Amino acid sequence: MCGLAGEIRFDGQSADAAAVERICVKMAPRGPDGNGIWANGRVAFGHRRLSIIDLSDAGAQPLVDSDLGLTVVFNGCIYNYKQLRGELEAAGYRFFSTSDTEVITKAYDHWGPSCVERFLGMFAFVILERRTGVVVMARDRLGIKPLYLDQTPSRLRFASTLPALLAAGGTDTSIDRTALAYYMSFHSVVPAPHTILNGVRKLPPATVRTVAPDGSFSDWVYWDATFARDDSMAGATSRDWQEALLGSLRTAVERRMVADVPVGVLLSGGIDSSLVVALLAEAGQTDLMTFSIGFDAAGGETGDEFEYSDLVARHFGTKHHRIPIDSSRLLPGIDSAIAAMSEPMVSHDCVAFYLLSQDVAQEVKVVQSGQGADEVLGGYDWYPPLLGVPRGEAVEAYANVFFDRRFAALGQLLSPEWMIDTDAPTEYITAQFARPGAETTVDAALRNDTTIMLVDDPVKRVDNMTMSWGLEARVPFLDHEFVELAGRIPPELKLELGGKGVLKQASRGVVPDEVIDRTKGSFPVPAIRQLEGPYLDRVREALTDPAAQARGLFQREPVERMLADPNRTRTTLGSNALWQLALLEMWLQKMDIN
């Protein structure tokens, strides 16, 4: 719903309100409806507003609660804010707005930092206790809303996007070599707290950080996903799981209709977004607006799924918008999408979401999206090979089906000065898979992909691209109660019918069979998967730019080989390897990083 910003000083100096204003200016697309700055001594907060709940000035931020001595900036939505408000009013609190932001301040005063356990929603917020000088920042359970940090011994700055932090000035923009290894191994994912830059970190999901006036801090991880069986559903049949899953999703979709403005749906024509539309129609939603995108075909690949999105729209009587994107918009859209990225993201879906959001934002401010179902419910083709793999062999099996390249191959592509001494990507996955709460190898992979890979690829992609046009995307498949239920479902049921079997079975009779039985698709952008013409020229330009040559991330010979045959080398997941290298360089150049 917004962009938040701030600076907290630890050296006795006053906060630099001008730096906070520069951050806010950079985030203007996230919040086109208002701008606010609050400064008091060592602390300055800033906010860009996208008005969705309480459209009046009373809902503006930064929100200062004079009675409680709290100041807050907040990005996201607390879906159960009305219920919590009722509880707080019963406890004696009085409200001066109808916003969910004010509910956060009252809830914090009443329950302390543990208030986050009562919030159903997506959020990142920062609260200042004006009496003690303590600052508390928190992020939602699945990391749907971002929070980037730039901390030095003398001050801490924060923002909803990394480029906005850079606009303040003074950030260490040297490249984090460990993060680079993650980027090149995990399909461009860099897990928290790292980013590709040494001077910027991100608050991990499901984390509350308490920052003392001297800059020291402590973290509390208040939630974790468990992917294991439990006794409460020991005798559950396949049909029991289907009914429970559909009921939980129905609740999640209904929760995400909370708004004082209309809510639409991004409809790809796949089962996930189609089911969201179906459940909204079932709940009696009328005049529901749906939106689909398509691109020109290239390299023998089709560029749209209008056949299926049209079918769903007709079936449920939505006000459907087809958005065809021709090449005149795609090529400049690539550079614009990269400029909107908080971190380099290799998926060609980024430009699709960016251009789709540009048009959708002219009609609505809020949409629901089907993101997350594949990670939570086993929809990708790398999960079936893991079924039955012993836990002791899980890391190697997962690396073989997911990693873009292993550590030895990385050494054949990165220049020696950019290599690290140890195989950090494999060590990271080994540590994640060793944590308790994942019963089988498939469970460990699903938990990792839901809580790590999903957060810093699909979820970040949707937030960055939609919010760059002042469009808020809500993701019912990442309702934490839905994720908790899905984690208990036996992997065998998830992997049936080519993946997401339990969801497909639950959807029979709810969405058209043609959508359930179709081959799995995506947001296709063939011109990026099959590089040729001006798209290949743009890639070559990025990799041969003087800045790229001076940086020297990649060895010259493999890059020249890939440029000579640009569509031959693919990553394990089928992405264009040349695009992965070029995308990183394009992003660094867009950020003016030398």
Side-chain angles (χ1 to χ4, degrees):
M1 84 181 228
C2 307
L4 53 81
E7 178 176 293
I8 304 130
R9 302 294 305 195
F10 310 127
D11 57 2
Q13 300 296 310
S14 294
D16 186 347
V20 175
E21 177 63 30
R22 290 194 295 274
I23 295 174
C24 287
V25 168
K26 188 70 174 178
M27 293 191 299
R30 292 184 70 94
D33 297 332
N35 180 52
I37 300 287
W38 176 90
N40 187 0
R42 55 181 287 271
V43 178
F45 284 176
H47 192 265
R48 293 293 316 197
R49 186 182 188 195
L50 179 65
S51 302
I52 291 172
I53 292 175
D54 189 350
L55 310 185
S56 74
D57 290 343
Q61 299 186 49
L63 187 144
V64 178
D65 195 315
S66 300
D67 292 339
L68 301 181
L70 301 174
T71 301
V72 64
V73 281
F74 159 56
N75 171 30
C77 184
I78 307 300
Y79 302 127
N80 63 330
Y81 80 98
K82 291 181 180 178
Q83 295 91 326
L84 293 173
R85 178 182 175 124
E87 291 182 44
L88 292 163
E89 286 176 330
Y93 288 90
R94 295 296 173 260
F95 288 77
F96 53 82
S97 77
T98 58
S99 70
D100 51 344
T101 309
E102 189 182 1
V103 169
I104 292 175
T105 63
K106 263 66 171 182
Y108 179 82
D109 183 75
H110 191 55
W111 293 299
S114 64
C115 64
V116 293
E117 296 180 303
R118 297 172 181 266
F119 295 160
L120 303 176
M122 54 180 187
F123 54 84
F125 65 80
V126 180
I127 291 179
L128 168 67
E129 297 179 0
R130 296 198 299 276
R131 181 180 60 82
T132 65
V134 168
V135 171
V136 175
M137 48 184 61
R139 199 169 170 207
D140 66 70
R141 297 167 181 83
L142 275 303
I144 300 166
K145 286 300 168 184
L147 188 57
Y148 290 92
L149 311 171
D150 173 6
Q151 183 161 359
T152 68
S154 62
R155 54 105 178 118
L156 167 64
R157 288 177 182 157
F158 60 86
S160 294
T161 73
L162 186 153
L165 271 183
L166 300 186
T171 299
D172 175 4
T173 59
S174 62
I175 293 174
D176 182 328
R177 292 191 303 155
T178 298
L180 178 62
Y182 290 153
Y183 173 92
M184 297 296 294
S185 304
F186 297 156
H187 202 57
S188 85
V189 169
V190 176
H194 289 274
T195 75
I196 200 71
L197 303 182
N198 278 310
V200 181
R201 292 296 177 255
K202 51 200 174 195
L203 188 70
T207 299
V208 175
R209 176 167 295 178
T210 301
V211 183
D214 65 359
S216 60
F217 64 85
S218 61
D219 285 353
W220 168 44
V221 179
Y222 64 90
W223 182 85
D224 194 13
T226 297
F227 279 71
R229 318 296 77 78
D230 67 15
D231 294 339
S232 67
M233 297 287 283
T237 65
S238 178
R239 187 61 192 165
D240 291 334
W241 286 115
Q242 293 166 28
E243 291 176 355
L245 195 70
L246 193 61
S248 181
L249 183 61
R250 186 176 285 115
T251 299
V253 168
E254 181 182 355
R255 281 175 180 159
R256 282 154 184 79
M257 291 304 291
V258 173
D260 294 333
V261 295
V263 179
V265 178
L266 301 182
L267 176 60
S268 68
I271 186 174
D272 309 328
S273 59
S274 298
L275 187 53
V276 171
V277 171
L279 295 179
L280 288 171
E282 176 189 272
Q285 286 289 325
T286 58
D287 298 326
L288 179 65
M289 285 191 280
T290 53
F291 306 87
S292 300
I293 193 170
F295 296 88
D296 294 338
E301 293 191 18
T302 184
D304 70 68
E305 298 189 333
F306 287 146
E307 173 188 355
Y308 295 102
S309 56
D310 287 354
L311 184 157
V312 173
R314 285 195 305 270
H315 187 87
F316 295 107
T318 72
K319 291 186 172 181
H320 190 54
H321 299 69
R322 265 185 174 218
I323 305 173
I325 304 293
D326 62 31
S327 56
S328 67
R329 288 184 65 189
L330 178 56
L331 188 59
I334 290 172
D335 275 286
S336 297
I338 292 170
M341 294 177 182
S342 277
E343 300 173 69
M345 293 178 280
V346 73
S347 175
H348 54 86
D349 289 10
C350 285
V351 68
F353 273 110
Y354 180 85
L355 294 170
L356 175 62
S357 300
Q358 181 180 13
D359 286 18
V360 173
Q362 297 176 30
E363 304 290 338
V364 294
K365 284 187 173 183
V366 184
V367 289
Q368 296 204 39
S369 168
Q371 292 291 97
D374 287 310
E375 290 83 359
V376 174
L377 293 168
Y380 291 125
D381 59 9
W382 60 83
Y383 298 127
L386 303 178
L387 195 62
V389 171
R391 281 299 260 119
E393 302 171 15
V395 171
E396 278 301 302
Y398 178 78
N400 287 335
V401 297
F402 182 80
F403 282 27
D404 289 330
R405 54 190 62 80
R406 301 306 301 271
F407 191 67
L410 191 59
Q412 298 170 8
L413 183 56
L414 288 180
S415 297
E417 62 267 30
W418 289 106
M419 282 295 292
I420 52 178
D421 296 332
T422 59
D423 185 359
T426 301
E427 291 174 357
Y428 181 85
I429 296 301
T430 300
Q432 291 299 316
F433 275 36
R435 293 193 300 114
E439 190 169 312
T440 69
T441 295
V442 172
D443 287 320
L446 291 173
R447 181 183 64 179
N448 184 75
D449 289 359
T450 297
T451 60
I452 306 295
M453 303 306 173
L454 174 68
V455 171
D456 274 297
D457 185 11
V459 164
K460 180 170 64 185
R461 182 193 323 160
V462 172
D463 175 83
N464 285 188
M465 298 301 107
T466 57
M467 290 301 292
S468 65
W469 293 104
L471 177 68
E472 178 176 285
R474 299 176 175 180
V475 279
F477 285 98
L478 294 185
D479 184 283
H480 80 275
E481 292 180 347
F482 180 86
V483 171
E484 289 170 350
L485 172 65
R488 297 198 293 270
I489 299 175
E492 295 80 6
L493 298 182
K494 296 173 188 169
L495 300 188
E496 286 180 346
L497 305 177
K500 292 188 294 195
V502 63
L503 186 70
K504 292 175 180 177
Q505 297 283 29
S507 301
R508 295 284 177 191
V510 182
V511 301
D513 286 352
E514 297 95 321
V515 174
I516 298 171
D517 297 329
R518 58 163 295 194
T519 302
K520 177 176 171 53
S522 63
F523 265 140
V525 189
I528 294 177
R529 286 182 45 79
Q530 303 293 333
L531 292 169
E532 58 188 15
Y535 305 96
L536 178 57
D537 292 342
R538 181 67 187 91
V539 164
R540 182 178 287 106
E541 176 189 352
L543 290 171
T544 58
D545 185 276
Q549 298 295 313
R551 201 172 355 257
L553 291 177
F554 309 114
Q555 297 178 34
R556 185 180 299 273
E557 191 275 332
V559 171
E560 290 178 346
R561 187 171 61 246
M562 282 191 275
L563 284 170
D565 193 356
N567 297 307
R568 179 179 181 181
T569 306
R570 299 280 167 175
T571 67
T572 302
L573 300 184
S575 295
N576 191 308
L578 180 61
W579 175 250
Q580 184 184 39
L581 311 190
L583 186 282
L584 176 56
E585 265 302 336
M586 289 181 198
W587 186 85
L588 291 169
Q589 291 164 30
K590 287 286 182 187
M591 298 300 116
D592 250 346
I593 293 169
N594 299 315

PDB file of all heavy atoms in Angstrom, residues 33 46 53 169 176 470 490 508:
ATOM      1  N   ASP A  33      -0.437   8.892  -3.645  1.00  0.00           N
ATOM      2  CA  ASP A  33      -1.559   9.643  -3.067  1.00  0.00           C
ATOM      3  C   ASP A  33      -1.169  10.577  -1.927  1.00  0.00           C
ATOM      4  O   ASP A  33      -2.019  11.314  -1.416  1.00  0.00           O
ATOM      5  CB  ASP A  33      -2.638   8.671  -2.565  1.00  0.00           C
ATOM      6  CG  ASP A  33      -3.242   7.850  -3.689  1.00  0.00           C
ATOM      7  OD1 ASP A  33      -3.254   8.351  -4.824  1.00  0.00           O
ATOM      8  OD2 ASP A  33      -3.670   6.709  -3.434  1.00  0.00           O
ATOM      9  N   GLY A  46       9.656   8.836   7.119  1.00  0.00           N
ATOM     10  CA  GLY A  46       9.004   9.312   5.912  1.00  0.00           C
ATOM     11  C   GLY A  46       8.062   8.266   5.357  1.00  0.00           C
ATOM     12  O   GLY A  46       8.185   7.069   5.660  1.00  0.00           O
ATOM     13  N   ILE A  53      -7.183   1.933   2.609  1.00  0.00           N
ATOM     14  CA  ILE A  53      -8.055   1.865   3.785  1.00  0.00           C
ATOM     15  C   ILE A  53      -8.012   3.218   4.486  1.00  0.00           C
ATOM     16  O   ILE A  53      -6.927   3.765   4.708  1.00  0.00           O
ATOM     17  CB  ILE A  53      -7.611   0.742   4.744  1.00  0.00           C
ATOM     18  CG1 ILE A  53      -7.863  -0.636   4.080  1.00  0.00           C
ATOM     19  CG2 ILE A  53      -8.330   0.822   6.075  1.00  0.00           C
ATOM     20  CD1 ILE A  53      -7.350  -1.799   4.893  1.00  0.00           C
ATOM     21  N   GLY A 169      22.180   8.569  -0.312  1.00  0.00           N
ATOM     22  CA  GLY A 169      23.616   8.826  -0.367  1.00  0.00           C
ATOM     23  C   GLY A 169      24.372   8.154   0.766  1.00  0.00           C
ATOM     24  O   GLY A 169      23.812   7.863   1.828  1.00  0.00           O
ATOM     25  N   ASP A 176      28.703  -7.755  -2.728  1.00  0.00           N
ATOM     26  CA  ASP A 176      28.858  -8.827  -1.744  1.00  0.00           C
ATOM     27  C   ASP A 176      29.149 -10.117  -2.516  1.00  0.00           C
ATOM     28  O   ASP A 176      28.277 -10.633  -3.224  1.00  0.00           O
ATOM     29  CB  ASP A 176      27.565  -8.940  -0.929  1.00  0.00           C
ATOM     30  CG  ASP A 176      27.634  -9.993   0.174  1.00  0.00           C
ATOM     31  OD1 ASP A 176      28.322 -11.007  -0.006  1.00  0.00           O
ATOM     32  OD2 ASP A 176      26.958  -9.802   1.210  1.00  0.00           O
ATOM     33  N   GLY A 470       1.977   1.926  -8.350  1.00  0.00           N
ATOM     34  CA  GLY A 470       0.975   2.234  -7.334  1.00  0.00           C
ATOM     35  C   GLY A 470      -0.158   1.225  -7.316  1.00  0.00           C
ATOM     36  O   GLY A 470      -1.324   1.589  -7.135  1.00  0.00           O
ATOM     37  N   PRO A 490       0.417 -34.638   3.168  1.00  0.00           N
ATOM     38  CA  PRO A 490       1.467 -35.562   2.709  1.00  0.00           C
ATOM     39  C   PRO A 490       1.977 -35.174   1.318  1.00  0.00           C
ATOM     40  O   PRO A 490       1.194 -34.821   0.430  1.00  0.00           O
ATOM     41  CB  PRO A 490       0.747 -36.917   2.672  1.00  0.00           C
ATOM     42  CG  PRO A 490      -0.357 -36.786   3.678  1.00  0.00           C
ATOM     43  CD  PRO A 490      -0.803 -35.352   3.596  1.00  0.00           C
ATOM     44  N   ARG A 508     -12.117 -29.393  -8.710  1.00  0.00           N
ATOM     45  CA  ARG A 508     -13.106 -29.996  -9.605  1.00  0.00           C
ATOM     46  C   ARG A 508     -14.501 -29.506  -9.225  1.00  0.00           C
ATOM     47  O   ARG A 508     -14.905 -29.566  -8.062  1.00  0.00           O
ATOM     48  CB  ARG A 508     -13.074 -31.519  -9.507  1.00  0.00           C
ATOM     49  CG  ARG A 508     -11.811 -32.168  -9.978  1.00  0.00           C
ATOM     50  CD  ARG A 508     -11.709 -32.216 -11.491  1.00  0.00           C
ATOM     51  NE  ARG A 508     -10.423 -32.800 -11.908  1.00  0.00           N
ATOM     52  CZ  ARG A 508      -9.975 -32.773 -13.141  1.00  0.00           C
ATOM     53  NH1 ARG A 508     -10.693 -32.187 -14.100  1.00  0.00           N
ATOM     54  NH2 ARG A 508      -8.805 -33.297 -13.438  1.00  0.00           N
TER      55      ARG A 508
END
